[in-house]
Amino acid sequence: MLTKKDVIQRAEEDHVKFVRLQFTDIFGMLKNIAITVKDLPRVLEGFELFDSSAVDGIVTSSKKQIRLMPDPNTFVIFPWRPKEGAVARLICDINNEDGTPYPGCSRNSLKKVLSNMKLKDIMILGSAKAEFYLFKQDEMGQPTSMTHDRGGFCDLTPLDLGENARREMVLTLEEMGFEIGSSHHEAGQGQHEIALKSDHILSLADKIATLRFVVRTIAQRHGLHASFMPKPFSDMDGSALQISFSLYKALQNVFYSHQENYQMSIEAQNFMAGILEHGRGLTAITNPLVNSYKRLIASKLSPNVLGWSVDNRATMLRIAQNSERELWLEVLSPDGCCNPYLALEVLLAAGIDGMEKSLELRKPYVPDELGEIVLPQNLNEALDLLVQDELVQKVLGKHIVDLYYNLKKLEWQRYQKTIHPWERNEYLVKY
């Protein structure tokens, strides 16, 4: 744990000249403002005011002052910057001017759910696997639609031409204090995956947001463009953000029980049942783009079934075990364009709701069974289901839900008004 005094001392010892105050807006975009190191003591006390539109993700005629509250534990120096004149970052919570939490701060919103869990003497850990594509750039430095290589799942060089960039991404993340589980070439041409080891949930959310920033920065240094777009190609795999959970009490894995079916404890079954109960209502948060649903409905291998399994790729949830009497719940449906704070928040809230209500878990999914329920088929449907789910609305709060719903509805309308190449190819000659 770092104190404000520790941060000031480290900044001085490491010759930091600039500090980026980072925060995530409601729609998951990482933002920042830069200060010089001489202002660091003032900023650490919460004296930095800014415009709330940066957090809300929209500029309106009304302007409200917000207060940036840096978390000292997030202080880290960017390894790709020079040692002299170094640049560091601090992740900030957002408060109102009077010091109360700003309702549009997704990090504060996640912390609220986690603080409620502490009352139940539960510790929850999470891990994540982030997939992304590497694209070539044109002579102007703009991304093209050409992938960097034609490699496939776990290929090596010379097929995996992104190996050097991916290695530097991993080394950079490790230098910033990340624990990386693995990294490899994924199934799509130019597609890669980096896995984050288990961590406390707030730290995991911070790391997911930071990973996306680091991956894109290092890719650019290699003359490439990294994209977490869920489905950039119709004929290649989409990119997921697979999130795994496990609960602990007194250092024991609460999800594991050798006495139950599939070695899932009753708590695990209730937790999973809660996520499935609210799965359709929270999908607009975990899958936030029009393009997200091109991935979810692409094929039978897409995780769009509202169910669970041990080894089926088509289900929203899957369980995984290891030899150390531990069981993890894997959520397969989210993608890397979500706001990690909000995504983790709604998934946790849904799981806890299942535990509190002792919801019964349905039977594991059987392919092609009658009456299977699927996740929303498009963003518009997902948004309508979001505002019908009372738990999700309560957890996120009116401020976030209203902004998210209204702006995402406008995004859907823009998509609906656009004539796409497929329509011309399909209809122009025929009709």
Side-chain angles (χ1 to χ4, degrees), residues 122 247 254-255 266-268 270-271 274 350-359:
I122 289 175
L247 269 63
V254 177
F255 279 175
I266 298 300
E267 290 87 349
N270 296 156
F271 191 90
I352 294 167
D353 186 59
M355 293 175 67
E356 291 178 341
K357 294 178 179 177
S358 299
L359 295 181

Side-chain angles (χ1 to χ4, degrees), residues 70-96:
D71 183 344
N73 289 305
T74 64
F75 180 81
V76 67
I77 295 173
F78 293 141
W80 59 84
R81 293 294 187 178
K83 297 300 180 183
E84 292 296 327
V87 179
R89 76 91 193 267
L90 283 163
I91 294 177
C92 300
D93 294 319
I94 308 299
N95 286 355
N96 291 311

Side-chain angles (χ1 to χ4, degrees), residues 16 22 64 80 114 147 168 269 300 330 395 401 431:
V16 170
Q22 296 183 335
K64 184 174 181 179
W80 59 84
L114 294 173
T147 59
E168 186 176 342
Q269 296 177 45
K300 288 188 176 181
E330 299 177 340
V395 167
V401 169
Y431 300 99

Side-chain angles (χ1 to χ4, degrees), residues 132-136 146-169 184-186 188-192 218-219 221-225:
F132 56 93
Y133 275 87
L134 291 178
F135 292 93
K136 295 180 180 179
M146 296 175 59
T147 59
H148 183 48
D149 64 34
R150 295 183 177 274
F153 190 58
C154 290
D155 275 342
L156 305 173
T157 51
L159 291 174
D160 178 8
L161 297 180
E163 184 178 54
N164 289 338
R166 190 177 68 244
R167 182 174 61 248
E168 186 176 342
M169 293 168 188
H184 60 83
H185 199 290
E186 259 295 341
Q189 297 177 13
Q191 188 184 32
H192 303 265
I218 300 302
R221 290 166 63 87
H222 284 257
L224 301 169
H225 175 76

Side-chain angles (χ1 to χ4, degrees), residues 236-283:
M236 284 197 279
D237 284 6
S239 293
L241 177 68
Q242 180 180 312
I243 298 172
S244 298
F245 294 114
S246 197
L247 269 63
Y248 290 83
K249 183 179 288 187
L251 302 180
Q252 295 296 316
N253 188 300
V254 177
F255 279 175
Y256 178 87
S257 173
H258 69 279
Q259 297 176 335
E260 302 292 334
N261 290 337
Y262 301 97
Q263 298 181 323
M264 287 191 298
S265 67
I266 298 300
E267 290 87 349
Q269 296 177 45
N270 296 156
F271 191 90
M272 292 170 66
I275 291 180
L276 295 177
E277 177 75 13
H278 300 282
R280 285 165 57 79
L282 59 79
T283 298

Side-chain angles (χ1 to χ4, degrees), residues 24-29 106 212 285 288 337-344:
T24 300
D25 73 10
I26 289 174
F27 303 98
M29 300 299 293
S106 52
R212 296 193 298 213
I285 302 297
C337 294
C338 68
N339 179 326
Y341 301 96
L342 298 185
L344 287 166

Side-chain angles (χ1 to χ4, degrees), residues 309-329:
S309 68
V310 177
D311 55 8
N312 196 304
R313 296 175 185 269
T315 55
M316 178 187 186
L317 303 181
R318 189 168 62 192
I319 59 170
Q321 306 163 11
N322 63 23
S323 59
E324 299 174 356
R325 295 197 168 193
E326 291 190 335
L327 185 141
W328 290 77
L329 167 63

